[in-house]
Amino acid sequence: LVSHPSLANDELSKMSKDSKQWVMQSGDYANQRYSSLKQITTTNVKELRPVWTFSTGVLRGHEGGPLVVGDVMYVHTPFPNIVYALDLTNQGRILWKYEPKQDPNVIPVMCCDTVNRGVAYGDGKIILNQADANVVALDAKTGKELWKVANGDAKKGETMTGAPVIVKDKVLVGISGGEFGVQGRMTAYNLKDGSVAWKAYSVGPDDQMLIDPQKTMNLGKPVGANSSLSTWQGDQWKTGGGATWGWTSYDPQLNLIYYGSGNPSTWNPKQRPGDNKWSMTIFARDADTGMAKWVYQMTPHDEWDYDGVNEMILADIKVKGTPVKALVHFDRNGFAYTMNRETGELLVAEKYDPAVNWATHVDMKTGRPEVVAQYSTDKNGEDKNTKGVCPAALGSKDQQPASYSPDTGLFYVPTNHVCMDYEPFKVSYTAGQPYVGATLSMFPPKGETHLGNFIAWDASAGKIVWSNKETFSVWSGALTTAGGVAFYGTLEGYLKAVDMKTGKELYKFKTPSGIIGNVTTYEHGGKQYIAVLSGVGGWAGIGMAAGLGGDTDGLGAVGAYKQLSNYTQLGGVLTVFALP
Amino acid sequence: LVSHPSLANDELSKMSKDSKQWVMQSGDYANQRYSSLKQITTTNVKELRPVWTFSTGVLRGHEGGPLVVGDVMYVHTPFPNIVYALDLTNQGRILWKYEPKQDPNVIPVMCCDTVNRGVAYGDGKIILNQADANVVALDAKTGKELWKVANGDAKKGETMTGAPVIVKDKVLVGISGGEFGVQGRMTAYNLKDGSVAWKAYSVGPDDQMLIDPQKTMNLGKPVGANSSLSTWQGDQWKTGGGATWGWTSYDPQLNLIYYGSGNPSTWNPKQRPGDNKWSMTIFARDADTGMAKWVYQMTPHDEWDYDGVNEMILADIKVKGTPVKALVHFDRNGFAYTMNRETGELLVAEKYDPAVNWATHVDMKTGRPEVVAQYSTDKNGEDKNTKGVCPAALGSKDQQPASYSPDTGLFYVPTNHVCMDYEPFKVSYTAGQPYVGATLSMFPPKGETHLGNFIAWDASAGKIVWSNKETFSVWSGALTTAGGVAFYGTLEGYLKAVDMKTGKELYKFKTPSGIIGNVTTYEHGGKQYIAVLSGVGGWAGIGMAAGLGGDTDGLGAVGAYKQLSNYTQLGGVLTVFALP
Ligand SMILES: O=C(O)c1cc(C(=O)O)c2c(n1)C(=O)C(=O)c1cc(C(=O)O)[nH]c1-2
Ligand SMILES: O=C(O)c1cc(C(=O)O)c2c(n1)C(=O)C(=O)c1cc(C(=O)O)[nH]c1-2
C-alpha cells in the first residue's frame, strides 16, 4: 500500500491557482485574497449590480465567505452553522443543506458573537468547524456526514469560529476561548478519518508545544528549554489562553504553516507576571509534524488584549531593495510586521494607524515594543482605569483579513480606528465562566469621529500609501483583483469598490445588512462574479447581535458602535454581483 | 368646536392619487394596486436592478409591503412587529425604529405563520396591528407611541395579521382567530385617541352585527330579523368564527367600506348545521356608522375552510356592455364574483381556475353554489376522508391581493392551483386551543405538478385572458402599472415582471427569500422604484417558517410545499429596484 499524503494538497494547490474557482476561504494558501480575474475593471465596475441573492435563514454576524468549487457554491452560517451547497447553474438552487444539532448553551461562551469564518474544501470533502468545537467532514456532493470529532469541550469555554485549512492529507483546526482560560492549540486531523495527526499547544511544556529548544528559533536564536513555562507563574499556563481562532496560511515550498496565538488569559495583566509566552505569537510550523520552526511574540505580557491571531500574508516582495520570501502581518497591536518567513527574521515593524499610542516603536533588535508607561494597564494597576489607549482591545485590525496584490505590490487593509479605557480587576478561574478581569469602553481617537479606515500599505517602507476614512471600522475582508479594483464591505452594509492605485471609490451598493464577511470573486459561464455575505455582528456588532445596550457591554465594544443601528439591522444574505 | 371627521380622509384620498407615494397598503381605497407611473415600461423593464436593500432583522413570513409618504418609507415586520421609518434620501438610513414588547405565547395561536400585512398611515400617524391584538398609533415623525388599545385577547386565540385601514377620522381593524372559535368583527377606532367608534360582528344578533333587518340587503332583498342567529344551532355563533383578517376597501362616493368574513368555526361542518351566516360573506357597511348596507355569502355552511376574506377590488367597469360601479372578488372557493357594489347585486360568478370541482356553478338567482355531492365533507361525514377536493382549503387564491388596471380593464391575479383531502372530526371548544376539527393534506390537481398560476381575468366575461404557470402558488400581491408591466413575486423568491397584455415574462430577479409580500412602486427624486419584501412563510410556507415536517402538519399545507426548501430559506429583506 502506498499512501498519498500530498494528494489533496496537489489538487487544492492546483485549484487555488484556477481563478475561476474560490476553493479556500483565503483564496490561496498564501492568504493573499487576490484574483487574476479582470473582467471587472476600474472603468466598468460602476456597472456592477446584484444578479442573485440568497438568505441563509440565520441572523447575527456572517463572517467568512462562500467557496466556489466547479458549479457548486458552499455557503455557511453562524450558529447553528448550517452549510448549503448551491447550484451556480441555477441561481443558487439548493443542492443540499446540512444543519448540525448543537446545544445552544454554546452561544453564551462565544466571546464575540456566534460567528464562523467558513468551511474548507479538499479531496471531495467539506470541513466544518462547529461552534460547539466539533469538527465535521461532509461529502461535498451529498452533504452526508463522513466523520465527526470533538476538538474541544464547550462546557469549558472551548468553541470554534475559525476556518479549517486543508494542507496535504491533514485538516488544521484552531480553538477559541481566550476569554475562558483555554489552553490554546493547533490540531492537525487526518482528512481521511478525523484521527489526530499532531497537536501543538500555544503555551506549556516544550513537548506539548512541539517546540525543539535547540531547533525552534526566535529572531535567529534557539528558544532554549522551557521557553514558555519559564514566562508563567506556577500552573498559570494551564489556563493561559493563546487561542488560535484566526487564519492559517501555508507555504508549499517551505512546507511551513503560519498562524498566530491570541491573548494570555486573564485580561488582568497583574495576575499573570511574565512574558506569557507563547501567547501573542506568530508560529511557523512544519506542516507534516507540527514542529515549530520559528516563533515571534509581538506583544509580550499583553496588557490590552491584542490577540496575535490576525492572518499572515505570504508574499515574495522586495524589502528595501532585496527580494524576500516575506510574511506580512497586521497585528491587533497596531504594528504591521514584515518578516522573512523562512527564518523568522524581523524586517519591518511600523504603525499602520497613526493613532497607535501604547508603544512608541518596536525595538528591531529585541523585537519588543517600547511601551508608553501612561498606557500600561499593568503599571497603572488593578481597579485603575487606564484611559485613552490606542488601539482599543479589538486592535487596529481584527479578524477581517487584508489582501495583497502582486500587481501593485501593496497590501489593502480594512482597519479599526478606535481607542479605549481599560480597567483591570481581580478574577478567579472557573471552568466555563468568563475569565476576563477587565472593564473596557471604546471610542474614536481624540478629536475624531470615524472608527475605521481602508488603507493601502507598503510593507517594505512600512508606510501608508493612501487611506480612506470609514464611519465605522471595516470589519470585512478585502479582495484585490487584476482588474485594478479592490473590494471590501462596511459595517453599514455597503459593498465598496475602489481603485487600487488611488483609493478612489468607484462603486458602492447597500446590501441587506452590515458586512463582516470577506469579499470573494469567481468566474462562471464565462462571467466574473463578486460575492459577499452580509449580516452584521462580530465583536464590533455585538450590541445588535446579542441585544446589548450598555456602553461597556460586549467586552467594551457596545458604546463605540451604538450608531450602527441607525444604518443597518441583523441579517444573513449572500449577494452575488456581476456586470450586465 | 368644529369636528373635522373627513380631514384624514381628504388628505389620504389626495395622497393616494399622487402616484409618487404609496400611502396605503393597497395603493388606493379601491384596492386596485395600480400605479400611473410609467418610467418602467415593457421595453426597458429588463434593465431593472436592485439599487438598495434592507434586512428587517426578522425571519419568517413577510407579508404586506412598505408605505412611502414623502421622503420616508415605513417598513413593518412579522412578529415581533417592528416598524422602521427609512430615509429615502439616504438609501434607507433608519430614522426611527419601534419595537413593541409582546408575549411570544401569541405565536402558537397564530394559525398561518407570524405574518403581518402592514401598517397604515393617516393624519401624521402610523397605525400598527400587533400580533397580540393590540392596536398602536405612532407619531409618523418620531415613532413615539401616541395611543394603544386592546382589540382582542390573545389568550382566547384572538390575534391580528391584517392591515388597518384609515377612513376619515377612523381606523378600521379586523381580527384573526377563525381556527380558535373567535367571534369575528370589524372595529372602527377613532384615529385621534383610539376610542371605539363602532363595532360590527360577523355573526350573532342583529344589534351586535349592526344589521338593520329592513335596510340591510341580500341580493336585493332585506335580510330580515335574526338573519345570522337563525342559521346557527343554539349558542354556536358565540364561537362561530367569521374572522376579518383580510383586506378592507372604501368607496368615498358611496361612503361604504367593503371586506369579507372568514370560515365558520369549527372546520368540521357536521358540528354546526345551518348556513352559518354571516361567515364567508362580503359586507358593505356605512363608513361612519358601521351599519350594513348589504351582505352576500359566497359559501353557505362552509365545508372546506374557504374563508371569504380576500380583497374586494372596486372598479368602474362595463359588465356585459353596461357601466357598473363594480366590486370584483376572487374568493378562496375558486369563483370570481363581479357585483354591483352599490346594491350588492350579483352580476358574474365564474371559476378562475379550471381545476375547481367542489361546485359546478353559482346559481345566479339564489347566489348559492351548486355543491358536488362527492366533494361535500358534510355529506361524507366525520372521520371520512373526502378526497381530491379542488381548491384546497387555502383556496384558488388566499391573502395575496390581485391588481386591476384601468388601462387594460383586466384583473391580474396571483393564484393557487392546489387540491386536498379533507377529513373532519369531532372537536370541542376550549378558549385559546385550536378549534379546527379536520385533518387535511394538499397536492397539485391530478396529472399536474405546478401549484400556482398568475392570470389575467376579464371580470365582465368571467374568463381567463391568459395564464402563466408557476411551480408554487403565487403568494405575493400583484402590482399593475401604466408602463404596461405587471409585477409579482414567487415563493422561490423571484420578483417577476410580465407584459400585461400577453403575460410574457420580461424580467426576473432572485431576491434573498421567498416572496409573500406585495409589490409596490413609487417615485423619488424623479425616478420610479419598485419595492418588495421577501421572507418566505404564510400558510403556504408554514413548513419552513414554523419548522414543521409532516405532510398534514400546518393545517395540511406542509406536504404540498415541501420542495420549496430546495429553492429558498427563511429571510426578511426589502429589495428596492430601479432602472439605471
Ligand atoms: O481569545 C479568543 O478565544 C477569541 C476568540 C474570538 C472568536 O472566536 O471569535 C475573538 C477574540 N478572541 C477576540 O479577541 C476578538 O477580538 C474577536 C473578534 C471577533 C469577531 O469575530 O468579530 N472574534 C474574536
Ligand atoms: O380564520 C382566521 O382567523 C384566519 C387567519 C389567518 C391569518 O390571520 O393569517 C389566515 C386564515 N384564517 C386562513 O384561513 C388562511 O388561509 C390564511 C393564510 C394566511 C397567510 O398569511 O398566509 N393567513 C391565513
Side-chain angles (χ1 to χ4, degrees), chain B residues 519-530:
Chain B
V519 191
T520 58
T521 189
Y522 63 95
E523 186 181 314
H524 193 260
K527 201 165 188 140
Q528 183 182 358
Y529 293 88
I530 302 289

PDB file of all heavy atoms in Angstrom, chain B residues 519-530:
ATOM      1  N   VAL B 519     -46.010  43.698  -4.113  1.00  0.00           N
ATOM      2  CA  VAL B 519     -45.116  44.596  -4.837  1.00  0.00           C
ATOM      3  C   VAL B 519     -45.699  46.011  -4.849  1.00  0.00           C
ATOM      4  O   VAL B 519     -46.902  46.191  -5.051  1.00  0.00           O
ATOM      5  CB  VAL B 519     -44.886  44.107  -6.282  1.00  0.00           C
ATOM      6  CG1 VAL B 519     -43.749  44.887  -6.925  1.00  0.00           C
ATOM      7  CG2 VAL B 519     -44.585  42.612  -6.305  1.00  0.00           C
ATOM      8  N   THR B 520     -44.845  46.992  -4.600  1.00  0.00           N
ATOM      9  CA  THR B 520     -45.286  48.390  -4.602  1.00  0.00           C
ATOM     10  C   THR B 520     -44.363  49.195  -5.507  1.00  0.00           C
ATOM     11  O   THR B 520     -43.275  48.748  -5.860  1.00  0.00           O
ATOM     12  CB  THR B 520     -45.225  49.006  -3.197  1.00  0.00           C
ATOM     13  OG1 THR B 520     -43.881  48.907  -2.731  1.00  0.00           O
ATOM     14  CG2 THR B 520     -46.142  48.287  -2.245  1.00  0.00           C
ATOM     15  N   THR B 521     -44.800  50.397  -5.862  1.00  0.00           N
ATOM     16  CA  THR B 521     -43.964  51.279  -6.665  1.00  0.00           C
ATOM     17  C   THR B 521     -44.130  52.707  -6.183  1.00  0.00           C
ATOM     18  O   THR B 521     -45.160  53.055  -5.584  1.00  0.00           O
ATOM     19  CB  THR B 521     -44.303  51.166  -8.167  1.00  0.00           C
ATOM     20  OG1 THR B 521     -43.325  51.889  -8.932  1.00  0.00           O
ATOM     21  CG2 THR B 521     -45.688  51.705  -8.477  1.00  0.00           C
ATOM     22  N   TYR B 522     -43.108  53.514  -6.384  1.00  0.00           N
ATOM     23  CA  TYR B 522     -43.176  54.925  -6.020  1.00  0.00           C
ATOM     24  C   TYR B 522     -42.146  55.673  -6.831  1.00  0.00           C
ATOM     25  O   TYR B 522     -41.320  55.074  -7.532  1.00  0.00           O
ATOM     26  CB  TYR B 522     -42.931  55.111  -4.504  1.00  0.00           C
ATOM     27  CG  TYR B 522     -41.559  54.675  -4.041  1.00  0.00           C
ATOM     28  CD1 TYR B 522     -40.513  55.587  -3.917  1.00  0.00           C
ATOM     29  CD2 TYR B 522     -41.296  53.343  -3.719  1.00  0.00           C
ATOM     30  CE1 TYR B 522     -39.243  55.183  -3.493  1.00  0.00           C
ATOM     31  CE2 TYR B 522     -40.038  52.934  -3.300  1.00  0.00           C
ATOM     32  CZ  TYR B 522     -39.018  53.852  -3.192  1.00  0.00           C
ATOM     33  OH  TYR B 522     -37.772  53.443  -2.782  1.00  0.00           O
ATOM     34  N   GLU B 523     -42.229  56.994  -6.746  1.00  0.00           N
ATOM     35  CA  GLU B 523     -41.242  57.813  -7.445  1.00  0.00           C
ATOM     36  C   GLU B 523     -40.531  58.664  -6.415  1.00  0.00           C
ATOM     37  O   GLU B 523     -41.142  59.206  -5.507  1.00  0.00           O
ATOM     38  CB  GLU B 523     -41.941  58.697  -8.486  1.00  0.00           C
ATOM     39  CG  GLU B 523     -40.970  59.465  -9.364  1.00  0.00           C
ATOM     40  CD  GLU B 523     -41.681  60.353 -10.378  1.00  0.00           C
ATOM     41  OE1 GLU B 523     -42.629  59.889 -11.033  1.00  0.00           O
ATOM     42  OE2 GLU B 523     -41.292  61.541 -10.480  1.00  0.00           O
ATOM     43  N   HIS B 524     -39.211  58.749  -6.535  1.00  0.00           N
ATOM     44  CA  HIS B 524     -38.456  59.596  -5.616  1.00  0.00           C
ATOM     45  C   HIS B 524     -37.317  60.235  -6.380  1.00  0.00           C
ATOM     46  O   HIS B 524     -36.606  59.559  -7.111  1.00  0.00           O
ATOM     47  CB  HIS B 524     -37.918  58.778  -4.433  1.00  0.00           C
ATOM     48  CG  HIS B 524     -37.422  59.644  -3.316  1.00  0.00           C
ATOM     49  ND1 HIS B 524     -36.100  59.914  -3.121  1.00  0.00           N
ATOM     50  CD2 HIS B 524     -38.097  60.329  -2.376  1.00  0.00           C
ATOM     51  CE1 HIS B 524     -35.969  60.727  -2.090  1.00  0.00           C
ATOM     52  NE2 HIS B 524     -37.165  60.991  -1.600  1.00  0.00           N
ATOM     53  N   GLY B 525     -37.166  61.547  -6.217  1.00  0.00           N
ATOM     54  CA  GLY B 525     -36.107  62.245  -6.937  1.00  0.00           C
ATOM     55  C   GLY B 525     -36.231  62.058  -8.433  1.00  0.00           C
ATOM     56  O   GLY B 525     -35.221  61.973  -9.143  1.00  0.00           O
ATOM     57  N   GLY B 526     -37.464  61.972  -8.910  1.00  0.00           N
ATOM     58  CA  GLY B 526     -37.662  61.871 -10.354  1.00  0.00           C
ATOM     59  C   GLY B 526     -37.526  60.476 -10.935  1.00  0.00           C
ATOM     60  O   GLY B 526     -37.615  60.293 -12.148  1.00  0.00           O
ATOM     61  N   LYS B 527     -37.340  59.488 -10.080  1.00  0.00           N
ATOM     62  CA  LYS B 527     -37.083  58.133 -10.557  1.00  0.00           C
ATOM     63  C   LYS B 527     -38.126  57.160 -10.012  1.00  0.00           C
ATOM     64  O   LYS B 527     -38.479  57.235  -8.838  1.00  0.00           O
ATOM     65  CB  LYS B 527     -35.692  57.721 -10.048  1.00  0.00           C
ATOM     66  CG  LYS B 527     -35.068  56.599 -10.813  1.00  0.00           C
ATOM     67  CD  LYS B 527     -33.585  56.478 -10.519  1.00  0.00           C
ATOM     68  CE  LYS B 527     -33.002  55.464 -11.466  1.00  0.00           C
ATOM     69  NZ  LYS B 527     -31.707  55.835 -11.967  1.00  0.00           N
ATOM     70  N   GLN B 528     -38.592  56.257 -10.874  1.00  0.00           N
ATOM     71  CA  GLN B 528     -39.562  55.247 -10.418  1.00  0.00           C
ATOM     72  C   GLN B 528     -38.841  54.058  -9.783  1.00  0.00           C
ATOM     73  O   GLN B 528     -37.867  53.542 -10.337  1.00  0.00           O
ATOM     74  CB  GLN B 528     -40.418  54.751 -11.592  1.00  0.00           C
ATOM     75  CG  GLN B 528     -41.501  53.758 -11.142  1.00  0.00           C
ATOM     76  CD  GLN B 528     -42.344  53.212 -12.297  1.00  0.00           C
ATOM     77  OE1 GLN B 528     -42.160  53.589 -13.449  1.00  0.00           O
ATOM     78  NE2 GLN B 528     -43.281  52.331 -11.965  1.00  0.00           N
ATOM     79  N   TYR B 529     -39.330  53.639  -8.630  1.00  0.00           N
ATOM     80  CA  TYR B 529     -38.781  52.487  -7.918  1.00  0.00           C
ATOM     81  C   TYR B 529     -39.833  51.395  -7.781  1.00  0.00           C
ATOM     82  O   TYR B 529     -41.032  51.675  -7.723  1.00  0.00           O
ATOM     83  CB  TYR B 529     -38.298  52.899  -6.523  1.00  0.00           C
ATOM     84  CG  TYR B 529     -37.109  53.833  -6.550  1.00  0.00           C
ATOM     85  CD1 TYR B 529     -37.281  55.215  -6.621  1.00  0.00           C
ATOM     86  CD2 TYR B 529     -35.819  53.321  -6.517  1.00  0.00           C
ATOM     87  CE1 TYR B 529     -36.182  56.065  -6.659  1.00  0.00           C
ATOM     88  CE2 TYR B 529     -34.721  54.172  -6.554  1.00  0.00           C
ATOM     89  CZ  TYR B 529     -34.903  55.539  -6.626  1.00  0.00           C
ATOM     90  OH  TYR B 529     -33.816  56.368  -6.673  1.00  0.00           O
ATOM     91  N   ILE B 530     -39.363  50.167  -7.699  1.00  0.00           N
ATOM     92  CA  ILE B 530     -40.206  49.008  -7.379  1.00  0.00           C
ATOM     93  C   ILE B 530     -39.667  48.452  -6.066  1.00  0.00           C
ATOM     94  O   ILE B 530     -38.449  48.299  -5.918  1.00  0.00           O
ATOM     95  CB  ILE B 530     -40.098  47.924  -8.473  1.00  0.00           C
ATOM     96  CG1 ILE B 530     -40.505  48.474  -9.848  1.00  0.00           C
ATOM     97  CG2 ILE B 530     -40.902  46.679  -8.101  1.00  0.00           C
ATOM     98  CD1 ILE B 530     -41.976  48.753 -10.008  1.00  0.00           C
TER      99      ILE B 530
END
